[in-house]
Amino acid sequence: MSESVSLPALGESVTEGTVTRWLKQVGDRVEVDEPLLEVSTDKVDTEIPSPVAGVVEQILVQEDETVEVGTALVTIGDGSGAGAGSDAPAAPQETAEPAPTEQPAPAEQQHAQQAHAEQPAQQQPAPEPAQQPQASAQAEVPSNAAETPAEAPAPAAPVDQPPAAQQPQQPAPEQAPAPAQAPAQAAPAQAAPAQAAPAQVASAQAAPAPAPVPAASAPASTQGGTTPAAPAAPQTTGSHAGSGYVTPIVRKLANEQGVDLSTVRGTGVGGRIRKEDVLSAGAGTSAAPAAAASTKLETSPLRGTVQPMSRLRKVVADRAVVSMQNSAQLTTVVEVDVTKVAALRNRVKADFEKATGTKLSFLPFFTLAAAEALKAYPVINATVDGENIVYPDHENISIAVDTERGLLTPVVRSASELNIAQLSQQIADLAQRTRDNKLKPDELAGGTFTVTNTGSRGALFDTPLVFLPQVAILGTGIVSKKLVVVQADGGDSIAIRSTVYLALSYDHRIVDGADAARFLVAVKNRLEEGAFDSDLGI
């Protein structure tokens, strides 16, 4: 029995979605709640889990197609709807794998054995003459299965496997003379058998085409006296190397950490390697090689190429242009002394992490100070509705998160009512789920003000762009120590202080420069006072 999976409702304002990538293909097994495909909307890129378990029988919507909510995307059943073709190649693929582990037989002997391999009753006496008839019989199974898919020899593939599996006594005497026979026959005519056997396998099925790679390594391992487990090693490394596309950011980070990507097991979608996987793998590397590698940049694979924009990039680009064309934007910057906040953070960060499970950064302090100032200066938190100014009764702060797919801004709701611990936990949770593509579209909607931490990448400050319908965005730079002039004992002196630049971009249609300055000074005074002990929440 088959069941269709439709595009679910992804949010209150989301009516359609674009299929960006199928994580499962026809014939693949899928479990309940296992990611089935990736869908992109105007608000978020998200994974669609499978509501049922079964086999993917038919994909109804192809990649890059846009459909409305409720449209059938895929059919999942017990596998009968996918056709016998999906099961037939599976048997030759299994029988073709053990063939390369033994010495390949010449093409003439393979053709000579086809007449005997057609009858299942004649396949069992084959082990009596020597090892070569067995190897040729196994190599002929995929070709026979491909030539007569509707005849009885199709299930003959599993019939060949029991004798191979039930030969624990025969491999011992057969493998002993194999080193003596294999070099004698394979040395003079090694190229001809190696090319003939893959040619038959490739003609039967495209999937066993990689079989010649372990076939070449099989004689070497036999001559060295090793077990047939040697060809399994390249297969394992090959699965890691082909786990998926590695982004330039991840590749650069791996180069800096001295991590071999072929040894990293990806935890992302479809085994994709993420930045966290590289960081975990590089945790045991020494700091000296990492520091040396970080000074040299790796050439991006995108250099000299032309790539299409992702749907998310196109949405961001369109919104950025519309915002710039429909608003009058400018930026005001202030410098803030956060020495007291830094001292408080250093004093409680160990207890804070133990109590909340998150590391205490400067961002929750900046967010809380901004949320409190928004209540006093609501025009910074307002929106424009035609000829009206709407002043919300809440402060929903969007937090800019940098991801491999692009910039996203999940929303911390009612931020002015939260303490430092709650803000830290929500920001960390939203940021992690944003990078893991686990956000719901509604979690990206409803923001009234945005905070972007450009200092996390080392920037002193920038002039962030306001995205409509919001009218302001606060950019926080890197916190750094420097010498400043301070007043002490009635005179000036030089001291080392922790400072940060705060940049407020705003829409001059309703926000004047004086409004922006008053808001920034309020945030500045709150941070320089540093009285957050009662707001820690631990």
Side-chain angles (χ1 to χ4, degrees), residues 324-394:
M324 289 296 294
Q325 292 177 343
N326 292 274
S327 61
Q329 300 191 21
L330 69 158
T331 305
T332 301
V333 182
V334 296
E335 185 178 15
V336 183
D337 186 343
V338 292
T339 303
K340 293 182 179 179
V341 174
L344 173 62
R345 173 176 172 270
N346 292 333
R347 188 175 73 250
V348 303
K349 62 182 181 181
D351 295 335
F352 185 91
E353 184 175 2
K354 184 182 299 182
T356 64
T358 60
K359 294 182 178 181
L360 181 58
S361 65
F362 287 96
L363 186 56
F365 295 98
F366 298 152
T367 305
L368 180 58
E372 294 174 351
L374 290 175
K375 297 173 65 176
Y377 302 100
V379 69
I380 310 297
N381 196 50
T383 57
V384 179
D385 184 12
E387 297 182 354
N388 300 320
I389 300 176
V390 180
Y391 297 92
D393 60 354
H394 52 270

Side-chain angles (χ1 to χ4, degrees), residues 151-160:
E151 297 179 0
V159 176
D160 294 339

Side-chain angles (χ1 to χ4, degrees), residues 3 104 297 371 510:
E3 183 173 349
L297 297 178
I510 64 171

Side-chain angles (χ1 to χ4, degrees), residues 136-157:
S136 61
Q138 292 179 353
E140 292 173 6
V141 173
S143 61
N144 293 336
E147 293 174 359
T148 58
E151 297 179 0

Side-chain angles (χ1 to χ4, degrees), residues 268-345:
V269 177
R272 186 177 185 178
I273 299 177
R274 300 164 52 245
K275 291 188 292 186
E276 289 76 7
D277 302 327
V278 176
L279 292 175
S280 300
T285 59
S286 59
S294 63
T295 60
K296 184 178 181 181
L297 297 178
E298 180 183 0
T299 301
S300 172
L302 298 178
R303 185 172 182 263
T305 66
V306 177
Q307 302 292 332
M309 283 189 181
S310 64
R311 177 175 173 82
L312 177 60
R313 177 51 57 191
K314 288 187 287 188
V315 170
V316 172
D318 292 340
R319 289 190 58 200
V321 172
V322 170
S323 297
M324 289 296 294
Q325 292 177 343
N326 292 274
S327 61
Q329 300 191 21
L330 69 158
T331 305
T332 301
V333 182
V334 296
E335 185 178 15
V336 183
D337 186 343
V338 292
T339 303
K340 293 182 179 179
V341 174
L344 173 62
R345 173 176 172 270

Side-chain angles (χ1 to χ4, degrees), residues 341 344 348 352 356 358-369 372 415 417-427 526-527 531-538:
V341 174
L344 173 62
V348 303
F352 185 91
T356 64
T358 60
K359 294 182 178 181
L360 181 58
S361 65
F362 287 96
L363 186 56
F365 295 98
F366 298 152
T367 305
L368 180 58
E372 294 174 351
E417 300 176 4
L418 305 178
N419 55 38
I420 297 295
Q422 293 169 332
L423 285 171
S424 179
Q425 290 173 327
Q426 289 200 28
I427 291 173
R526 180 73 165 96
L527 292 172
F532 291 97
D533 295 80
S534 59
D535 300 310
L536 290 176
I538 59 175

Side-chain angles (χ1 to χ4, degrees), residues 10-397:
L10 300 175
E12 296 179 358
S13 59
V14 178
T15 60
E16 63 180 18
T18 301
V19 176
T20 56
R21 185 162 68 110
W22 280 100
L23 305 177
K24 298 291 183 179
Q25 301 299 327
V26 174
D28 291 348
R29 176 76 184 180
V30 62
E31 303 297 335
V32 176
D33 293 333
E34 185 178 1
L36 187 61
L37 72 156
E38 291 181 355
V39 173
S40 175
T41 69
D42 291 340
K43 297 182 179 297
V44 67
D45 291 350
T46 185
E47 296 175 352
I48 303 298
S50 176
V52 296
V55 177
V56 177
E57 295 182 343
Q58 185 179 8
I59 293 178
L60 305 177
V61 179
Q62 302 302 319
E63 293 182 357
D64 297 330
E65 288 189 23
T66 301
V67 295
E68 295 183 354
V69 172
T71 303
L73 302 174
V74 63
T75 302
I76 298 178
D78 56 3
S80 59
S86 60
D87 295 334
Q93 183 175 4
E94 294 178 358
T95 57
E97 290 179 357
T101 60
E102 298 180 359
Q103 182 65 23
E108 297 179 356
Q109 295 181 359
Q110 292 179 353
H111 293 293
Q113 292 295 332
Q114 289 182 355
H116 299 283
E118 292 178 355
Q119 298 180 0
Q122 296 179 359
Q123 293 178 355
Q124 296 179 356
E128 297 179 358
Q131 178 183 0
Q132 295 180 353
Q134 293 178 355
S136 61
Q138 292 179 353
E140 292 173 6
V141 173
S143 61
N144 293 336
E147 293 174 359
T148 58
E151 297 179 0
V159 176
D160 294 339
Q161 293 179 355
Q166 297 176 1
Q167 292 178 355
Q169 299 177 354
Q170 294 179 357
E174 289 177 355
Q175 292 179 357
Q181 297 176 357
Q185 298 179 359
Q190 183 176 0
Q195 296 177 357
Q200 294 181 356
V201 178
S203 62
Q205 183 181 1
V213 177
S217 61
S221 61
T222 305
Q223 294 176 2
T226 58
T227 61
Q235 296 177 359
T236 304
T237 56
S239 63
H240 289 295
S243 59
Y245 171 69
V246 179
T247 63
I249 296 178
V250 173
R251 193 177 299 278
K252 177 177 179 295
L253 181 61
N255 182 57
E256 295 176 353
Q257 298 289 332
V259 175
D260 184 3
L261 291 176
S262 63
T263 63
V264 178
R265 180 178 296 276
T267 60
V269 177
R272 186 177 185 178
I273 299 177
R274 300 164 52 245
K275 291 188 292 186
E276 289 76 7
D277 302 327
V278 176
L279 292 175
S280 300
T285 59
S286 59
S294 63
T295 60
K296 184 178 181 181
L297 297 178
E298 180 183 0
T299 301
S300 172
L302 298 178
R303 185 172 182 263
T305 66
V306 177
Q307 302 292 332
M309 283 189 181
S310 64
R311 177 175 173 82
L312 177 60
R313 177 51 57 191
K314 288 187 287 188
V315 170
V316 172
D318 292 340
R319 289 190 58 200
V321 172
V322 170
S323 297
M324 289 296 294
Q325 292 177 343
N326 292 274
S327 61
Q329 300 191 21
L330 69 158
T331 305
T332 301
V333 182
V334 296
E335 185 178 15
V336 183
D337 186 343
V338 292
T339 303
K340 293 182 179 179
V341 174
L344 173 62
R345 173 176 172 270
N346 292 333
R347 188 175 73 250
V348 303
K349 62 182 181 181
D351 295 335
F352 185 91
E353 184 175 2
K354 184 182 299 182
T356 64
T358 60
K359 294 182 178 181
L360 181 58
S361 65
F362 287 96
L363 186 56
F365 295 98
F366 298 152
T367 305
L368 180 58
E372 294 174 351
L374 290 175
K375 297 173 65 176
Y377 302 100
V379 69
I380 310 297
N381 196 50
T383 57
V384 179
D385 184 12
E387 297 182 354
N388 300 320
I389 300 176
V390 180
Y391 297 92
D393 60 354
H394 52 270
E395 292 75 35
N396 292 344
I397 296 184

